[in-house]
Amino acid sequence: MTPAPLLVLKIDVDTYRGTREGVPNLVRMLTRHAAGATFLFSLGPDHTGWAMRRALRPGFFQKVSRTSVVEHYGIKTLMYGVLLPGPDIGAKTAAEMRAVRDAGFECGIHTWDHVYWQDHVRTRDKAWTDAIMQKSEQRYQAVFGEAPHTHGAAGWQMNQHAFARHDSAGYRYASDGRAQLRDDGALLDPQAGPYRYQGLDCIQMPTTLPTLDELLGREIDGVVLDNDNIAAHLLKLTADPVRDHVYTLHAELEGQKLAPIFEQLLSGWKAQGYRLASMADYYEKIKQASLPAVPLQWGQVPGRSGDLIVLEPGH
């Protein structure tokens, strides 16, 4: 009997509020569905307010208006680092993070400070990169009592030094980039999947589906996607369960206001025949596979502003 394809749930946790409120909501929801998942935590200060410096980036205001940033993140979170001091997430919510592990879910590193990393890492040197990643690793060790073993980059932003550190830190797998997508969210290359970077051992598991904030409010095939029809659109992208997928969700979105949509997705993916899985589950499936070795590439994904780490079609 052919094993069920995997729908890997990769959960990015960006903020203090998301850790305190969204994460426990997701744990309860995932437990009800007997779903596996990987929670990737921001472990240092919450400086979400610094993201307003991206206002001049092409597409930024369009995305903000489409996805109701204030509604989902809250005024207080958007003031952290601007008018309010940024709370130290790892210091203040260590118990909430350990509760995720104790509930049976895989945990890993998202970043130290998600805005600081996202806005600067692409152009920084090895010393800067190692210092930031070391802070994350040390805090993870302090929270969980063990060394971290996986990573998922904030904003899909990395550099060559960060990828090399995965190997030196002993990470067997990570999910730091994206497979490129068509305008409707379908894969540009239907064969896109796990790979390694040239000269490195760590397996990369790219996100293969669009995120909710990349789809909400956009018109696709003559239909404006909203809270009522977006789950159906995503489920249409996975309707033929012949391959594995990685879906990135956010504690601040699917764990809060968009939880009803995520509930529909969980039920729909199970009905389609997928096994809802963690990154660790995926690694066990592919660790012996012959995977392509690719160069570091940057590109864009529909519905998201700026360049991201991407897997070029054909690799």
Side-chain angles (χ1 to χ4, degrees), residues 68-97:
S68 304
V69 167
V70 173
E71 178 184 355
H72 293 300
Y73 286 82
I75 289 290
K76 190 172 183 179
T77 297
L78 295 176
M79 292 298 100
Y80 288 150
V82 182
L83 296 178
L84 295 173
D88 186 325
I89 302 172
K92 289 180 173 291
T93 64
E96 287 89 340
M97 293 182 186

Side-chain angles (χ1 to χ4, degrees), residues 105-263:
F105 294 99
E106 181 180 33
C107 298
I109 291 176
H110 188 40
T111 188
W112 176 251
D113 177 330
H114 81 281
V115 176
Y116 188 54
W117 178 270
Q118 196 169 330
D119 286 353
H120 296 286
V121 64
R122 182 173 182 176
T123 60
R124 294 304 181 104
D125 62 13
K126 183 178 187 300
W128 182 94
T129 304
D130 283 349
I132 296 293
M133 295 183 79
Q134 184 179 41
K135 288 167 77 171
S136 299
E137 293 155 6
Q138 290 173 341
R139 176 58 63 78
Y140 187 98
Q141 176 85 44
V143 170
F144 292 101
E146 60 187 18
H149 66 276
T150 193
H151 184 275
W156 300 280
Q157 302 292 309
M158 290 283 280
N159 63 33
Q160 68 270 30
H161 311 298
F163 286 122
R165 189 173 179 90
H166 285 353
D167 271 21
S168 62
Y171 295 174
R172 296 164 297 168
Y173 56 93
S175 183
D176 297 313
R178 303 288 299 265
Q180 291 197 293
L181 304 175
R182 302 183 187 279
D183 192 60
D184 66 353
L187 282 166
L188 196 58
D189 177 1
Q191 304 304 313
Y195 60 93
R196 290 183 172 90
Y197 283 109
Q198 291 171 347
L200 298 176
D201 292 328
C202 181
I203 293 174
Q204 285 288 332
M205 305 169 173
T207 294
T208 58
L209 292 166
T211 64
L212 290 188
D213 57 328
E214 290 164 0
L215 293 174
L216 271 172
R218 288 178 56 212
E219 182 177 330
I220 296 177
D221 297 331
V223 176
V224 176
L225 297 182
D226 58 24
N227 288 16
D228 295 326
N229 60 23
I230 192 170
H233 180 81
L234 264 167
L235 290 170
K236 185 166 67 173
L237 298 176
T238 58
D240 189 13
V242 296
R243 57 157 295 146
D244 304 310
H245 277 289
V246 176
Y247 175 68
T248 294
L249 59 142
H250 293 83
E252 294 77 15
L253 300 178
E254 285 92 336
Q256 297 186 272
K257 293 281 188 178
L258 302 185
I261 297 171
F262 189 48
E263 191 89 45

Side-chain angles (χ1 to χ4, degrees), residues 293-311:
V294 307
L296 193 159
Q297 297 281 351
W298 293 86
Q300 297 192 351
V301 170
R304 187 166 294 277
S305 62
D307 288 342
L308 318 173
I309 292 290
V310 297
L311 174 64

